[in-house]
Amino acid sequence: MVGDRLHGVDVDGRSHAIRAAVIGAGMGGILAAIKLRERGIACVVFEKGDGFGGTWRENTYPGLACDVSAHWYTYSFARNPDWKSLMADGPDIRDYFDRVAREYGIDAITRFGQEVADLRYHDGGWILETVQGHRERFDVVIAATGVLHHPNVPRFEGMDSFAGDLFHSARWDHSVALDDRRIGVVGTGSTAAQLTSALVPRARRFDLFQRTAQWVLPRENVPYSDDERRRFRENPEELEALVAELRAKTLEGYAAAVIDVDSPELAAIERLCRENLETVRDPELRKRLTPDYRAACKRLVISGTFYDAIQQENAHLVTAPIRRIEPEGLRTEDGVLHDLDVLVLATGFQVDRFIRPTTVAGRGGVSLDDVWADGPHAYLSVSLPDFPNLFLLNGPNSPIGNFSLVEVAQHQIEYILKLIEGITRGDYAEVCVKEEAMRRFEDERCAAARRTVWVTGCDSWYLDKRGVPASWTFSYDRFETEMARPRMEDFETR
Ligand code: NAP
């Protein structure tokens, strides 16, 4: 059924009610729905899963946590004085997003179990169709479909022959016993580091299959006392001061470091990582854990427990390359068979699949798959030529890494709302970035990439097919300045 629009959108200077679809009910989708409704814009959220939380709903692995400080990884309009510690556990974060969504009534406008299959721009609006057969027209679409969404599952030879249990970290099988078993984890990213700390104390034997060593920045997860939590509840200014402090610490250090390889901030991060590595007692193990590229080239692993865990007697770092998987376990190129009961692939995500597999056709039938044949891009991460009134949250080339993506999304939604307000004011009926502005932005972004730490000789999910970092390559200040208000001369309106 084609849903009714509340009103038409005529460019006549009067105020116009419009309807928006939000795709995804994770951190970004919940935010978009709250903010649209705050501005009086009717919206429907489409979520293929059965609950709120996005990445925090899909990832349920042992040790799941967020290594960005919890109070910063929180909507500014819905602070949570009750975070238990500096960095929060995954289930608490999921509960937080679920609670906020319900408090703001987003559950009443969310259609769970509806996966958007197709988006088609037709006659000044978007026709949205779901896999389940729902069809509805909207004036505006906000895609909040997440970055780290589609698991990257390598095809190792013999994978189907494994007699134990094998799954990706983002598809955790909770029916599988872990205590006193032989557990293997492939990968050494942030996920694998958290898994290592959580599983070594439980496993009989734990093998970590490392292809590339990672730099690990130590960070102790300090708990907040009951007294602190009470003060945060009773005194919101104190909580805001804490958020400002946590935010400043990260931005001053990390944000400056990643965009300037000669910066003192990067040197300081490298020093901290090296000092942390020195805590590994066995020189042979230390050597094998030493990366051969610059710190922060790959996303920094932040952990105060990983090195301790990997030094336990039942823990083994395996650096020989993986040859194949056999019924009994995993065989490495040195011929050794590592017997395993459980094998977890902490092998990351396919990050170039923004929005997809949803098919998206813009003005004149332009296909998003064609536009993004060389990789996803978007003007300031939010808009694309020929895709009017389609906006992306945490879209391609957003600031990524050790930032608060909640804050990033909040900046982006305010920017997007300013563009949408031009529609509701009746200034125009459709808006998208001009081709020329898109190209200029992308050229500048790629040029700025040359000074970033991400191109200093490591491979990571930050790099696209061309080897260009798929991220914000400018300063964080510039991100905030750009997001303050749209430069309308860069946009085409009709
Ligand atoms: P990841 O950083 O992409 O790491 C994937 C790991 O799997 C790498 O060590 C990679 O090795 C290895 N790998 C991939 N394919 C392999 C193969 N065929 N054979 C052997 N090893 C293979 O993935 P992730 O750890 O899931 O993290 C992804 C992102 O999620 C993070 O960067 C972060 O942004 C986010 N995350 C955040 C937190 C948090 O606390 N905020 C926690 C977890 C994840 P190579 O390095 O050699 O490629």
Side-chain angles (χ1 to χ4, degrees):
M1 193 197 90
V2 178
D4 289 329
R5 296 165 87 192
L6 295 183
H7 299 277
V9 182
D10 307 318
V11 183
D12 61 3
R14 279 186 290 126
S15 166
H16 291 269
I18 60 166
R19 297 179 73 236
V22 173
I23 310 178
M27 174 277 285
I30 297 166
L31 169 70
I34 291 173
K35 292 291 162 183
L36 283 163
R37 287 189 5 141
E38 234 173 60
R39 305 296 208 282
I41 297 169
C43 75
V44 179
V45 181
F46 291 87
E47 167 56 58
K48 71 173 162 31
D50 59 359
F52 291 109
T55 200
W56 301 106
R57 186 198 67 236
E58 293 203 341
N59 284 278
T60 57
Y61 61 79
L64 174 72
C66 181
D67 59 19
V68 176
S69 39
H71 285 294
W72 189 29
Y73 194 83
T74 304
Y75 300 128
S76 62
F77 54 87
R79 295 286 186 221
N80 176 21
D82 295 320
W83 290 123
K84 293 176 193 145
S85 53
L86 179 66
M87 294 171 283
D89 288 345
D92 287 349
I93 299 172
R94 182 185 173 179
D95 287 351
Y96 165 78
F97 287 121
D98 187 74
R99 179 165 53 73
V100 174
R102 286 172 203 286
E103 272 173 20
Y104 282 80
I106 305 307
D107 45 339
I109 56 162
T110 302
R111 296 186 191 156
F112 292 109
Q114 289 288 333
E115 178 174 359
V116 179
D118 189 65
L119 279 174
R120 207 152 284 276
Y121 196 67
H122 177 71
D123 198 17
W126 285 97
I127 311 293
L128 176 153
E129 280 190 56
T130 67
V131 171
Q132 291 71 21
H134 182 80
R135 189 168 191 268
E136 194 167 349
R137 182 192 166 102
F138 293 91
D139 302 295
V140 163
V141 174
I142 297 182
T145 49
V147 189
L148 301 163
H149 184 56
H150 299 284
N152 168 45
V153 179
R155 289 306 304 169
F156 294 114
E157 188 193 326
M159 209 149 130
D160 298 333
S161 72
F162 186 52
D165 294 292
L166 188 161
F167 44 84
H168 187 272
S169 56
R171 298 284 180 272
W172 199 268
D173 183 345
H174 289 276
S175 69
V176 173
L178 300 169
D179 293 322
D180 203 28
R181 306 203 63 204
R182 298 165 305 175
I183 303 173
V185 169
V186 179
T188 48
S190 304
T191 301
Q194 291 179 346
L195 278 170
T196 302
S197 302
L199 294 180
V200 166
R202 297 177 62 179
R204 171 148 42 103
R205 182 189 163 95
F206 180 89
D207 290 325
L208 183 65
F209 297 94
Q210 169 185 289
R211 185 165 68 180
T212 312
Q214 291 266 358
W215 287 110
V216 182
L217 193 68
R219 200 169 195 202
E220 200 188 335
N221 195 11
V222 190
Y224 291 114
S225 65
D226 289 346
D227 184 48
E228 279 172 308
R229 284 199 290 268
R230 183 187 51 73
R231 288 200 332 255
F232 295 152
R233 257 195 307 277
E234 291 172 0
N235 192 354
E237 303 86 67
E238 189 175 341
L239 183 53
E240 283 311 316
L242 174 70
V243 175
E245 185 192 322
L246 294 168
R247 180 180 183 281
K249 264 191 200 151
T250 306
L251 290 181
E252 279 160 21
Y254 180 79
V258 289
I259 57 161
D260 182 0
V261 289
D262 299 320
S263 62
E265 288 85 359
L266 183 58
I269 287 174
E270 286 185 321
R271 196 169 50 249
L272 284 172
C273 289
R274 281 190 190 285
E275 284 167 11
N276 191 30
L277 186 62
E278 287 304 313
T279 64
V280 176
R281 294 177 298 275
D282 173 11
E284 186 52 36
L285 178 63
R286 197 187 317 135
K287 196 167 152 210
R288 293 195 297 138
L289 285 168
T290 306
D292 61 358
Y293 54 86
R294 299 199 61 175
C297 183
K298 286 174 181 285
R299 185 188 190 274
L300 280 172
V301 170
I302 298 185
S303 174
T305 51
F306 171 72
Y307 284 149
D308 185 47
I310 199 66
Q311 291 181 86
Q312 297 303 308
E313 252 175 48
N314 63 330
H316 304 269
L317 180 75
V318 182
T319 49
I322 296 167
R323 181 185 294 170
R324 64 169 177 263
I325 295 173
E326 300 183 5
E328 300 77 24
L330 192 153
R331 193 175 294 277
T332 42
E333 286 295 351
D334 53 7
V336 175
L337 175 68
H338 306 266
D339 288 312
L340 297 169
D341 302 310
V342 183
L343 179 57
V344 180
L345 303 177
T347 44
F349 299 85
Q350 302 171 54
V351 290
D352 61 348
R353 302 212 58 213
F354 273 104
I355 310 186
R356 275 77 61 84
T358 304
T359 47
V360 187
R363 209 159 41 198
V366 174
S367 142
L368 189 65
D369 279 342
D370 290 343
V371 172
W372 282 355
D374 288 333
H377 55 267
Y379 169 81
L380 295 176
S381 311
V382 302
S383 177
L384 282 159
D386 294 323
F387 293 84
N389 302 357
L390 170 69
F391 305 103
L392 312 175
L393 256 193
N394 288 119
N397 311 322
S398 275
I400 45 171
N402 302 70
F403 292 115
S404 165
L405 289 199
V406 179
E407 179 177 301
V408 167
Q410 280 200 239
H411 281 303
Q412 291 172 338
I413 193 67
E414 292 304 326
Y415 181 94
I416 291 167
L417 283 167
K418 289 189 181 84
L419 293 170
I420 294 176
E421 277 162 7
I423 305 174
T424 54
R425 267 199 312 268
D427 294 350
Y428 44 77
E430 50 175 69
V431 58
C432 63
V433 69
K434 290 177 184 163
E435 181 72 49
E436 174 274 321
M438 173 75 252
R439 220 172 311 118
R440 180 166 28 88
F441 170 72
E442 194 53 10
D443 288 349
E444 211 191 326
R445 194 186 69 77
C446 293
R450 293 190 206 112
R451 277 202 64 72
T452 66
V453 70
W454 302 304
V455 295
T456 53
C458 71
D459 189 16
S460 78
W461 67 261
Y462 292 162
L463 301 179
D464 67 17
K465 291 189 209 164
R466 303 164 298 172
V468 177
S471 63
W472 186 257
T473 56
F474 312 107
S475 69
Y476 195 75
D477 280 350
R478 174 161 172 185
F479 173 69
E480 294 190 298
T481 308
E482 295 275 12
M483 288 295 109
R485 72 187 45 80
R487 271 183 274 154
M488 288 313 293
E489 63 273 24
D490 283 355
F491 286 90
E492 185 192 316
T493 55
R494 290 186 186 175

